[in-house]
Amino acid sequence: MERPDDKRASVLRFATELVAWVATPWALWPHSWPLAVLAVLVLIGLPTVFSTPGDKAHVIVPVPGPVTILLVLLQLAAALVSAWWVWPVWAALPVSLLAAATLVTERPRWRWLLADA
């Protein structure tokens, strides 16, 4: 099965990742700056190191498709929880819409990732 074209999904996924990378350390910093730094390292580092062959051009540590899906869900959860925790409703609500759109547009890619599992 060929990997689906997911340009729109990629843009939405990356936008959600950016929110997670900004909002999560922002939410954690007042409580623990080491935890805030660790969160950024985890949110950026895990998807960089672990990826499914065929999903990215360069794979450092190959993992099955369900692991890649879980990493995306981690990013989505971090973005949502952190945005609602530290931002006002007018800023957190668009993050929720972005996450919902990401979930919808990710479905073809996730079906492809699960096909080889």
Side-chain angles (χ1 to χ4, degrees), residues 58-102:
H58 303 287
V59 175
I60 299 170
V61 176
V63 295
V67 174
T68 297
I69 294 170
L70 287 174
L71 290 172
V72 172
L73 290 172
L74 173 68
Q75 299 274 354
L76 288 169
L80 281 170
V81 170
S82 300
W84 281 100
W85 187 358
V86 295
W87 293 345
V89 172
W90 62 264
L93 188 59
V95 173
S96 297
L97 296 174
L98 175 64
T102 301

Side-chain angles (χ1 to χ4, degrees), residues 11-54:
V11 168
L12 294 174
R13 185 173 59 248
F14 183 66
T16 307
E17 289 171 351
L18 284 175
V19 171
W21 301 344
V22 170
T24 303
W26 188 338
L28 294 173
W29 191 269
H31 306 286
S32 169
W33 70 263
L35 193 56
V37 171
L38 179 63
V40 172
L41 293 174
V42 167
L43 290 170
I44 295 174
L46 288 180
T48 300
V49 173
F50 300 101
S51 53
T52 303

